[in-house]
Structures are given as structure tokens and as C-alpha cells.
Amino acid sequence: MAVASTHAFASTLKTFKTAAGQAGRYWSLKELAKQYPQVARLPVSIRIVLESVLRNCDGQKVTAAHVEQLARWLPNAERTDEIPFVVTRVVLQDFTGVPLLADLAAMRTVAAALGKSPKTIEPLVPVDLVVDHSVMVDHYGTPKALDLNMKLEFQRNNERYQFMKWGMQAFDTFRVVPPGFGIVHQVNLEYFARGVYKAPGDQSSVPVWYPDSLVGTDSHTTMINGVGVVGWGVGGIEAEAAMLGQPVYMLTPDVVGFELSGQLREGVTATDLVLYVTQILRSEKVVGKFVEFFGPGAASIPVPDRATIGNMAPEYGATMGFFPVDEKTIAYFRGTGRTEEEIALFEAYYKSQGLFGMPAPGDIDYTKIVKLDLGTVTPSLAGPKRPQDRIDLGQLSTKFSELFSKPNDANGFNQPADKLKLRYGLTSHSAGGDRTVTEPVPAPGAPRQVVEMVANRSTQAAAHVNASAPKAPASEVTIGNGDVLIAAITSCTNTSNPSVLLAAGLLAKKAVEAGLKVKPHVKTSLAPGSRIVTEYLTNAGLLPYLEKLGFYLAGYGCTTCIGNAGDLAPEINEVITKNDLVGAAVLSGNRNFEARIHPNIKANFLASPPLVVAFAIAGNVTVDLMTQPVGKGHKGKDVYLGDIWPSAQEIDDLLHFAMNAKAFRKNYDQIKDNPGKLWSSIKGVTGQTYDWPTSTYIAEPPFFEGFKMKPHAADPGFKGARVMALFGDSITTDHISPAGSIKESSPAGIWLKANGVQKADFNSYGSRRGNHDVMMRGTFANVRIKNLMLPPDAKGTQEEGGLTLFQPGNEKMFIYDAAMKYIEQGVPTVVFGGEEYGTGSSRDWAAKGTQLLGIKAVIARSFERIHRANLVGMGVLPLQFIGADSWQSLGLTGDEKIDVAIGGELKPQMDVTLVVHRPDGSHQDVKVRLRIDTPIEVDYYKHGGILPFVLRQLLAA
């Protein structure tokens, strides 16, 4: 922080006091408003960013001009100003945190090689890593599932966890929350966030306090917006720069005000509300914008519901979904175990700044206002391929039937309509020998029953039959389209929201008492975001009922939503692939992109936890839960959803179990005092530099090879590039980035086998993010990605998988293999895309892998915010078509050569020329927009990326 006496706005440093008389200093926005009156009507989120700019105004990285620009924010001005936002802290999850730690370790290796102290590379703000993405649902439907899954997790990830322990002892400000405590966003909400902070080195009697703010290496970092904290997801490479003292640079955003009024109706959940919000805001095109909630409806929503809405910001495309601090925030902090001193400082600070309380309509000037009456929200799901595609619960059966035979480009499954009701026999893999029944059979009118497929099977790639499943003779072993094959209470969105989890427990209790059972082909799992959840479900007497329906605790982590659902039974996989079945998953997560949940499950629906339980009982998404029975209970009686759905009063009566300050403090004290035997048994290497032992999990990244203190001056343009891929709209980072399981026949699987790794030990791409040899082979390798260079088949179905046509000659091969051939020949490559290229989780490997494959530019109709920044951060040009231009309008087929001509000095958002050379000798010039948006991004690109840029700065200092 700048010294007050030399600060350009020194007069704004003021003093506040708590109710108990404790004094603190703060940089006063009310005082700044005397010079810039507009400050008083700025959105609350903008004012919190402004405080950081004001406090960190040092005349160098942050100047008085930056303060003035933001203080003069206008709702509808042209956005050309760049804000240097210095965050309070950084949060990591392990999938993205491990490669980030590998980059830091590589920087220390470079520093040592250049004769510098390795300690030059040190996080300058607190960094917390939560291990939550590594647990997989291998075991389920058994009381031993949690213990067995965690033991497998530690066996698979021993090398990664050793590396994390090295990081804990090598870096002074780097903490790790071990596996088994919860999801990063929930731990952030319940434990990390303290409301206000002071500089670690401030030992004065009246220290300076400032608001919590952060960036995190997961796009759902925005869950923290529910407690009034400004924070969002960035790629690991951008988080690394923030850790090492760089401001987070951003264009001044628009702020969309979202006015909430009324109240939710009986039977409507927070999940239903967030699906409405997501659908509305996605249609409003809020990409790159802040969304700020206000009004009486927002004031009435408790913090867990606010956090659920904030969490889904990536799904509706906004940078943030922000709720200001008010009385409900204070109540949440008190109920989750913050000290009274912390709460007093938090409340006094925000009131002194004029930032306390939910704004009323008319209080603030927003870019645009969107409205929603909470009373209009109805029970809903979203899917089957995207979280913004909301479906009324009563329309799901009809919608699935329609999509079943619609073409792929209409979000459908391109199946013959008469195949919808057919059912198929399973192949038995029991010790008694194989028995195959593959002839289609009619769907029975009675409730479908499936035989107990595997008795007590619980291995890495096997299913476990629900204990509650009815037995059926072998002749009735069938599965069909729309069958729910995975029902998972999973992910950060809902699994720590007490209202919906208590609702799931109450529904389970009523269902069990009515005699309902879960269909045995359904893989059920409960993976809460926090250990507190199992405590309050147990204390409320509801956990045993969830367990009776097969929802045993499987792990504390992201599991199904991140792609760690574990495998299905071999019998089911075989029938799906042989008959091209459209199976379904119903999950309470926030991500349902193609192949995300399981590569063989095509229809994935987001739903509230109680609906997850209901669909596990119904067993098929073509059951209309609004009009048809959920199932048959005692004595064959039809039981409807209304019979088992809990009332709002029943849920409210149990909410007190979820807010126990002593329980929260006791739980999180164990991070230091009792991290668990498995974690304590991990022995990491020591020392200030890492020795890079041979490993298929952790390898020294290649991004600093040949590093010199002065960057190599190069022409940013290029000539003669080949087209690697032609993609349509909504290509996500889940399509681009390596994620989920590793196929044996894929380039990554082939490489692992060549390095002595057995298929059973492949683990997931996410767990191997610290090894670039695996990750670059998995980039653009998603089993559902469609490269439109490849011609469709006779039915018009587009071939899927990470394939391309190598030119010249149209030779079909894996994208990785083609990339290596092009690199060997010295030929650059480009990728073309459509709208919203790069939506999805903030994965740095979507950009890192793109760079390592030799791709020099991505040309698309529009880009998702984080992925665009990450491409620049890795030295890849993001180029955007102008007007109605697209690769389709240019008639590209993939056999062209591409030049990118950049005339003169590189400047933000300049127009450059794309030259298309066709095989017939003709060429076409097309203007495209360079999406290097800010001056600092120009510097990053010139240095070959953000990492070499930051390393040069640190070593020069």
C-alpha cells in the first residue's frame, strides 16, 4: 500500500470505530465522493473495486488517472479504460492449482539457473488451495463408499499430493486444505472469507482495513459474491500473475442491475430460481459484465440462496453475480463461526463506507435493469446439454421426446422416433459366464425392473447395485432411452445449500415411508460441498433415509459435476454403445455439457437435490412427475410427487440444524490439528527448488525453455497456416481442455501405456494437469467435439472426437498427431469457431494446450471472457469476425491456407487482415478484430505470454 503522505488522495484516509470502540483506518469512498459526486450512485460492486484502486494508487502500476476514470464511471459509456485491480487473496482448486504450482516451481528453477535467489519467486498475497476435484465416485450405494473412494484417491494422486506438500514448505503464503473437507467454493464461503482484511505487515496501533476480494482458478469462484465479496474466476496463468504482485487488468465493465421482487411460491427451490436467472441473463448477453442484484426480493433471500445464484455466473456468462452486504450477510457470518470481533469490524467498516444494506430501486445507476418477480418461478430443470436451457418440470417428458429425434444442430440426438420406447437386454459379466440379450423388447407397462447386475462389486470401473433395488428375473433385464443412469447430489451449486439439501432429505424420508425404492440401474451418490452438511442431515434425522435410497456419502468434492462420476457397469456401457442409447444423468450440479458427466451418457439435466432423488425413484426422464406417479409404494399404490414433496414450513423447521457456529469452528480447526491419517502419511520433498523426479503426473513445464531476460522480437503475423479445425457455436473449454477419463485408444492413453501405466491407473485428465505430455495430447480430444472439416455420414450425423484432416491430402487423424506433423514441418495452424467460443470452466489448459499444439490464432464470432484472456496469456492471437462474417459465410472447408497480416505496431482491438488462400489459387482478404483488449495484454503477447512477462519483471527487480 502506498504511504499516505505521498498518496495522490491522502486526504481520503479516514478512521472508523466499531460499536465496542475499536479503531481502524480506511480509504473513504464518501470522502472521495466530495471530489467525484458520481461515486455515491455507483453500483456497490464498482465501488469495492474503486476502493482497491484508490488504496493501491502508487503512481506506477496504479495511477491517479485510474482512480479518476473509475470514479467517473458512467452506466453506458464506451468501455475503453483499463482497471488495475489488486486483489486481497487468491483461491485455487487442485486441478488448476497443481499446474500453477508447477509453473511457480519452474520459475524457481529458471531463477536458480540464472544465479538468482529462488525466493524471488514468492506469492505476495495469501494463496489457499483446496483439494476437492480428485475424488471419484468409484464406490457408491454402500456405507463404506467415502472411505473406499478416499483410499483410491490417495493411491492415484500420491505424486500430486507430495508435490503440494513441497509447495506448502517452499512458499511462505501458500496453504493447502487436504482432501475430505469440502469444495473450494464452500470452504471459501464458510471459512476463508473474513469480510475485511488488513495488510499482513501492518503492525500499527490503528491499522488500515479493506474489503475482501479475490480471484480463483475455478470459474465458480463467483459463489463468494453471495456474501458481498468481489471475486471471479480466472485461468491459472492469470491467477499466477495476481499471486506474484500483478494487478488483475480488466476493461471497465457494464453493470446490469437485476431487480428481484416478490417471494418464491410453495414447492419452488433456490435451484429453480437460479435456472430462471440463468436463462434470463443468458438471453441478455451479459458476457464480460457485472450483474448486481437489488430490491426487496434480493433482501429477502438468505445467503446460501444468494451464493447459489452467484455461483452460476459462468452459466449466465457474467463476470460476477453480486449481492451487497446486509443484515443477512452478518447473520451468515455469525452462524458459520466467525468471531464477534471479526463481525464487528466487518459491519463497522461497511457502514462507514456507505456500502451496507441492499439497495432499493432508484438508489443506483445501472447500465441496464432486468426484473424478476420471484412469484413467477416454477419447478424446473435445465438440459440436456447446456445449463441455460431451462425446462419446466411438467414439460421435460415432452421435451426429451422431441429432442430424441431432432437433428444435432437443433440440440437433439438425431435418433429415429420409433426407437424411443424400445428397451434392450443387458450382457451379464458375472462369474457364471456371459449371456447376451440384444434384441429390442417393448417397454413394459408396469414399473420397469432391472436385475441385480453385480453383487457386492465395487472396483474402480464397476457399478454397485442400490441396496433398495427390487430383484427381477434375468428375462426382465433391460434398459432404454431416457433411463436415469446417474442420479447425483453433487457440486458446489446446491450441495451446501441447507434449504435444498434438507428438502432432499425430507423427500427421501417421505418416499421411504411410502414404500418407494430407487431403480437398480441408477448410480446414486451424495457428495456434499462441506462436512457440515452430513452433520446437519444427521442431526435432523434425515441421512438414514437418503442412505436407504442409495444416496450414501461418496465423498466431499466436485465428483459428478467435474466429470468424476466414475464408470457405469460394463453391462450398461456395452448396451449403450451397441445400440446408441440416449441415457440420462440427473444432477444437482451446474455443468451438463456434452460428455462432461460420463462419455456414454448423452442427456444431462440439472435439477434441485429433491428432484434428483425423485428422478432416481422414477428411473426415466420420460416420466412426467407433474401428472404421473413417481413410482409404486406399499401394496402397489401409486405415489405422486405431491405426496412426498416437503412443505416450506417443514424445511424451515429444520434450518436451525444448519447454522451452528461451534460446529463450523470445530470442523475447520481440524485442517491444522487433524487433517487425517491419509494426508499426514504423505511425505513430500523439501527445499526451495523442486528436483523434478520422473513422474507421469508432474513434469517441468516447457513454457520457459530457452528463456532469456529480453524477449525475442517477432512479427505477430504469420503466413501459410493450415486449418486445424472448423467448429460451430458454443465450443466450451470442456470440449477444448482435457477433462474426464482418459481413453486407452487416445493419444494420451497410448502415451501413458508407453510409459508403463496400466489402464486401471490412468486416473483422469484433471489429476494429470501437472504433466504437459498428457495434457497436450488431450487438448481438443473430447469424445463429443465435432470438427466440421470432417464430412457427415449418410444420415447427416457429424463424426465426433478429436479428429482432423491433415493437409494436403485430407488424411484423417487425431488433432494431436496432425499438430505434431505440422510442427515438424514448420507449418503454423489456426482454429475457426463460432459464437461464445471457450465458455465453460476457467481452464488454463484450454489455452496452454492450444499453444503447445502450435496453434497461432483462434478466429471466432465471439469469445468467452476468461478463455480469450488465457489465449493472449499464452501468446495465441484471438481474432474476432466483424459484422455477419463467419467461416461459414467465407465458405471455408479446411483445405485453405491462412495468412494473418498485422500492419504496423500492435494495438488493442485493432483491425487486422485475414488472407484466405484457396486450393484453386484464388485468395480473399477479410478484416477481423484483434481481441487483445488492453495495453498490458499487448505487453504479455510481445513477451510470449504472461508467465515470461512476470518472470522477467521479478528477476529484473
mmCIF file with all atom_site columns, all heavy atoms in Angstrom, residues 260-272:
data_model
loop_
_atom_site.group_PDB
_atom_site.id
_atom_site.type_symbol
_atom_site.label_atom_id
_atom_site.label_alt_id
_atom_site.label_comp_id
_atom_site.label_asym_id
_atom_site.label_entity_id
_atom_site.label_seq_id
_atom_site.pdbx_PDB_ins_code
_atom_site.Cartn_x
_atom_site.Cartn_y
_atom_site.Cartn_z
_atom_site.occupancy
_atom_site.B_iso_or_equiv
_atom_site.pdbx_formal_charge
_atom_site.auth_seq_id
_atom_site.auth_comp_id
_atom_site.auth_asym_id
_atom_site.auth_atom_id
_atom_site.pdbx_PDB_model_num
ATOM 1  N N   . LEU A 1 260 ? -35.037 -7.948  -7.978  1.00 0.00 ? 260 LEU A N   1
ATOM 2  C CA  . LEU A 1 260 ? -35.873 -9.057  -7.553  1.00 0.00 ? 260 LEU A CA  1
ATOM 3  C C   . LEU A 1 260 ? -36.999 -8.531  -6.664  1.00 0.00 ? 260 LEU A C   1
ATOM 4  O O   . LEU A 1 260 ? -36.759 -7.710  -5.776  1.00 0.00 ? 260 LEU A O   1
ATOM 5  C CB  . LEU A 1 260 ? -35.051 -10.092 -6.783  1.00 0.00 ? 260 LEU A CB  1
ATOM 6  C CG  . LEU A 1 260 ? -33.952 -10.824 -7.578  1.00 0.00 ? 260 LEU A CG  1
ATOM 7  C CD1 . LEU A 1 260 ? -33.157 -11.741 -6.660  1.00 0.00 ? 260 LEU A CD1 1
ATOM 8  C CD2 . LEU A 1 260 ? -34.537 -11.608 -8.741  1.00 0.00 ? 260 LEU A CD2 1
ATOM 9  N N   . SER A 1 261 ? -38.199 -9.011  -6.920  1.00 0.00 ? 261 SER A N   1
ATOM 10 C CA  . SER A 1 261 ? -39.355 -8.623  -6.108  1.00 0.00 ? 261 SER A CA  1
ATOM 11 C C   . SER A 1 261 ? -40.156 -9.877  -5.774  1.00 0.00 ? 261 SER A C   1
ATOM 12 O O   . SER A 1 261 ? -39.936 -10.949 -6.333  1.00 0.00 ? 261 SER A O   1
ATOM 13 C CB  . SER A 1 261 ? -40.227 -7.619  -6.871  1.00 0.00 ? 261 SER A CB  1
ATOM 14 O OG  . SER A 1 261 ? -40.704 -8.205  -8.084  1.00 0.00 ? 261 SER A OG  1
ATOM 15 N N   . GLY A 1 262 ? -41.113 -9.742  -4.856  1.00 0.00 ? 262 GLY A N   1
ATOM 16 C CA  . GLY A 1 262 ? -41.981 -10.857 -4.507  1.00 0.00 ? 262 GLY A CA  1
ATOM 17 C C   . GLY A 1 262 ? -41.264 -11.924 -3.706  1.00 0.00 ? 262 GLY A C   1
ATOM 18 O O   . GLY A 1 262 ? -40.163 -11.707 -3.174  1.00 0.00 ? 262 GLY A O   1
ATOM 19 N N   . GLN A 1 263 ? -41.855 -13.099 -3.638  1.00 0.00 ? 263 GLN A N   1
ATOM 20 C CA  . GLN A 1 263 ? -41.236 -14.211 -2.934  1.00 0.00 ? 263 GLN A CA  1
ATOM 21 C C   . GLN A 1 263 ? -41.579 -15.515 -3.624  1.00 0.00 ? 263 GLN A C   1
ATOM 22 O O   . GLN A 1 263 ? -42.567 -15.616 -4.351  1.00 0.00 ? 263 GLN A O   1
ATOM 23 C CB  . GLN A 1 263 ? -41.696 -14.246 -1.472  1.00 0.00 ? 263 GLN A CB  1
ATOM 24 C CG  . GLN A 1 263 ? -43.185 -14.403 -1.270  1.00 0.00 ? 263 GLN A CG  1
ATOM 25 C CD  . GLN A 1 263 ? -43.562 -14.342 0.217   1.00 0.00 ? 263 GLN A CD  1
ATOM 26 O OE1 . GLN A 1 263 ? -42.772 -13.913 1.047   1.00 0.00 ? 263 GLN A OE1 1
ATOM 27 N NE2 . GLN A 1 263 ? -44.779 -14.779 0.527   1.00 0.00 ? 263 GLN A NE2 1
ATOM 28 N N   . LEU A 1 264 ? -40.714 -16.539 -3.415  1.00 0.00 ? 264 LEU A N   1
ATOM 29 C CA  . LEU A 1 264 ? -40.904 -17.831 -4.053  1.00 0.00 ? 264 LEU A CA  1
ATOM 30 C C   . LEU A 1 264 ? -42.178 -18.502 -3.550  1.00 0.00 ? 264 LEU A C   1
ATOM 31 O O   . LEU A 1 264 ? -42.538 -18.395 -2.378  1.00 0.00 ? 264 LEU A O   1
ATOM 32 C CB  . LEU A 1 264 ? -39.703 -18.741 -3.787  1.00 0.00 ? 264 LEU A CB  1
ATOM 33 C CG  . LEU A 1 264 ? -38.360 -18.312 -4.385  1.00 0.00 ? 264 LEU A CG  1
ATOM 34 C CD1 . LEU A 1 264 ? -37.260 -19.265 -3.942  1.00 0.00 ? 264 LEU A CD1 1
ATOM 35 C CD2 . LEU A 1 264 ? -38.414 -18.248 -5.905  1.00 0.00 ? 264 LEU A CD2 1
ATOM 36 N N   . ARG A 1 265 ? -42.844 -19.208 -4.454  1.00 0.00 ? 265 ARG A N   1
ATOM 37 C CA  . ARG A 1 265 ? -44.061 -19.921 -4.103  1.00 0.00 ? 265 ARG A CA  1
ATOM 38 C C   . ARG A 1 265 ? -43.739 -21.238 -3.395  1.00 0.00 ? 265 ARG A C   1
ATOM 39 O O   . ARG A 1 265 ? -42.610 -21.734 -3.459  1.00 0.00 ? 265 ARG A O   1
ATOM 40 C CB  . ARG A 1 265 ? -44.885 -20.205 -5.367  1.00 0.00 ? 265 ARG A CB  1
ATOM 41 C CG  . ARG A 1 265 ? -45.485 -18.955 -6.004  1.00 0.00 ? 265 ARG A CG  1
ATOM 42 C CD  . ARG A 1 265 ? -46.377 -19.327 -7.165  1.00 0.00 ? 265 ARG A CD  1
ATOM 43 N NE  . ARG A 1 265 ? -45.623 -19.871 -8.299  1.00 0.00 ? 265 ARG A NE  1
ATOM 44 C CZ  . ARG A 1 265 ? -46.172 -20.404 -9.375  1.00 0.00 ? 265 ARG A CZ  1
ATOM 45 N NH1 . ARG A 1 265 ? -47.489 -20.488 -9.464  1.00 0.00 ? 265 ARG A NH1 1
ATOM 46 N NH2 . ARG A 1 265 ? -45.439 -20.850 -10.361 1.00 0.00 ? 265 ARG A NH2 1
ATOM 47 N N   . GLU A 1 266 ? -44.732 -21.798 -2.760  1.00 0.00 ? 266 GLU A N   1
ATOM 48 C CA  . GLU A 1 266 ? -44.597 -23.107 -2.112  1.00 0.00 ? 266 GLU A CA  1
ATOM 49 C C   . GLU A 1 266 ? -44.129 -24.136 -3.134  1.00 0.00 ? 266 GLU A C   1
ATOM 50 O O   . GLU A 1 266 ? -44.633 -24.201 -4.265  1.00 0.00 ? 266 GLU A O   1
ATOM 51 C CB  . GLU A 1 266 ? -45.947 -23.534 -1.549  1.00 0.00 ? 266 GLU A CB  1
ATOM 52 C CG  . GLU A 1 266 ? -45.941 -24.846 -0.794  1.00 0.00 ? 266 GLU A CG  1
ATOM 53 C CD  . GLU A 1 266 ? -45.267 -24.751 0.573   1.00 0.00 ? 266 GLU A CD  1
ATOM 54 O OE1 . GLU A 1 266 ? -45.417 -23.699 1.239   1.00 0.00 ? 266 GLU A OE1 1
ATOM 55 O OE2 . GLU A 1 266 ? -44.601 -25.717 0.962   1.00 0.00 ? 266 GLU A OE2 1
ATOM 56 N N   . GLY A 1 267 ? -43.143 -24.947 -2.761  1.00 0.00 ? 267 GLY A N   1
ATOM 57 C CA  . GLY A 1 267 ? -42.664 -26.014 -3.635  1.00 0.00 ? 267 GLY A CA  1
ATOM 58 C C   . GLY A 1 267 ? -41.584 -25.607 -4.603  1.00 0.00 ? 267 GLY A C   1
ATOM 59 O O   . GLY A 1 267 ? -41.079 -26.442 -5.360  1.00 0.00 ? 267 GLY A O   1
ATOM 60 N N   . VAL A 1 268 ? -41.215 -24.332 -4.622  1.00 0.00 ? 268 VAL A N   1
ATOM 61 C CA  . VAL A 1 268 ? -40.178 -23.840 -5.540  1.00 0.00 ? 268 VAL A CA  1
ATOM 62 C C   . VAL A 1 268 ? -38.874 -23.691 -4.755  1.00 0.00 ? 268 VAL A C   1
ATOM 63 O O   . VAL A 1 268 ? -38.864 -23.181 -3.636  1.00 0.00 ? 268 VAL A O   1
ATOM 64 C CB  . VAL A 1 268 ? -40.591 -22.492 -6.162  1.00 0.00 ? 268 VAL A CB  1
ATOM 65 C CG1 . VAL A 1 268 ? -39.469 -21.923 -7.013  1.00 0.00 ? 268 VAL A CG1 1
ATOM 66 C CG2 . VAL A 1 268 ? -41.851 -22.673 -7.006  1.00 0.00 ? 268 VAL A CG2 1
ATOM 67 N N   . THR A 1 269 ? -37.771 -24.130 -5.343  1.00 0.00 ? 269 THR A N   1
ATOM 68 C CA  . THR A 1 269 ? -36.489 -24.155 -4.647  1.00 0.00 ? 269 THR A CA  1
ATOM 69 C C   . THR A 1 269 ? -35.539 -23.087 -5.183  1.00 0.00 ? 269 THR A C   1
ATOM 70 O O   . THR A 1 269 ? -35.778 -22.482 -6.231  1.00 0.00 ? 269 THR A O   1
ATOM 71 C CB  . THR A 1 269 ? -35.801 -25.521 -4.805  1.00 0.00 ? 269 THR A CB  1
ATOM 72 O OG1 . THR A 1 269 ? -35.403 -25.668 -6.184  1.00 0.00 ? 269 THR A OG1 1
ATOM 73 C CG2 . THR A 1 269 ? -36.726 -26.661 -4.409  1.00 0.00 ? 269 THR A CG2 1
ATOM 74 N N   . ALA A 1 270 ? -34.438 -22.907 -4.448  1.00 0.00 ? 270 ALA A N   1
ATOM 75 C CA  . ALA A 1 270 ? -33.379 -21.992 -4.900  1.00 0.00 ? 270 ALA A CA  1
ATOM 76 C C   . ALA A 1 270 ? -32.809 -22.438 -6.240  1.00 0.00 ? 270 ALA A C   1
ATOM 77 O O   . ALA A 1 270 ? -32.398 -21.608 -7.063  1.00 0.00 ? 270 ALA A O   1
ATOM 78 C CB  . ALA A 1 270 ? -32.270 -21.928 -3.849  1.00 0.00 ? 270 ALA A CB  1
ATOM 79 N N   . THR A 1 271 ? -32.775 -23.748 -6.470  1.00 0.00 ? 271 THR A N   1
ATOM 80 C CA  . THR A 1 271 ? -32.288 -24.253 -7.757  1.00 0.00 ? 271 THR A CA  1
ATOM 81 C C   . THR A 1 271 ? -33.194 -23.801 -8.896  1.00 0.00 ? 271 THR A C   1
ATOM 82 O O   . THR A 1 271 ? -32.718 -23.388 -9.965  1.00 0.00 ? 271 THR A O   1
ATOM 83 C CB  . THR A 1 271 ? -32.212 -25.790 -7.743  1.00 0.00 ? 271 THR A CB  1
ATOM 84 O OG1 . THR A 1 271 ? -31.577 -26.223 -6.550  1.00 0.00 ? 271 THR A OG1 1
ATOM 85 C CG2 . THR A 1 271 ? -31.448 -26.302 -8.948  1.00 0.00 ? 271 THR A CG2 1
ATOM 86 N N   . ASP A 1 272 ? -34.499 -23.877 -8.681  1.00 0.00 ? 272 ASP A N   1
ATOM 87 C CA  . ASP A 1 272 ? -35.433 -23.407 -9.705  1.00 0.00 ? 272 ASP A CA  1
ATOM 88 C C   . ASP A 1 272 ? -35.192 -21.926 -10.000 1.00 0.00 ? 272 ASP A C   1
ATOM 89 O O   . ASP A 1 272 ? -35.188 -21.501 -11.162 1.00 0.00 ? 272 ASP A O   1
ATOM 90 C CB  . ASP A 1 272 ? -36.878 -23.603 -9.231  1.00 0.00 ? 272 ASP A CB  1
ATOM 91 C CG  . ASP A 1 272 ? -37.202 -25.044 -8.892  1.00 0.00 ? 272 ASP A CG  1
ATOM 92 O OD1 . ASP A 1 272 ? -36.719 -25.939 -9.617  1.00 0.00 ? 272 ASP A OD1 1
ATOM 93 O OD2 . ASP A 1 272 ? -37.910 -25.279 -7.900  1.00 0.00 ? 272 ASP A OD2 1
#
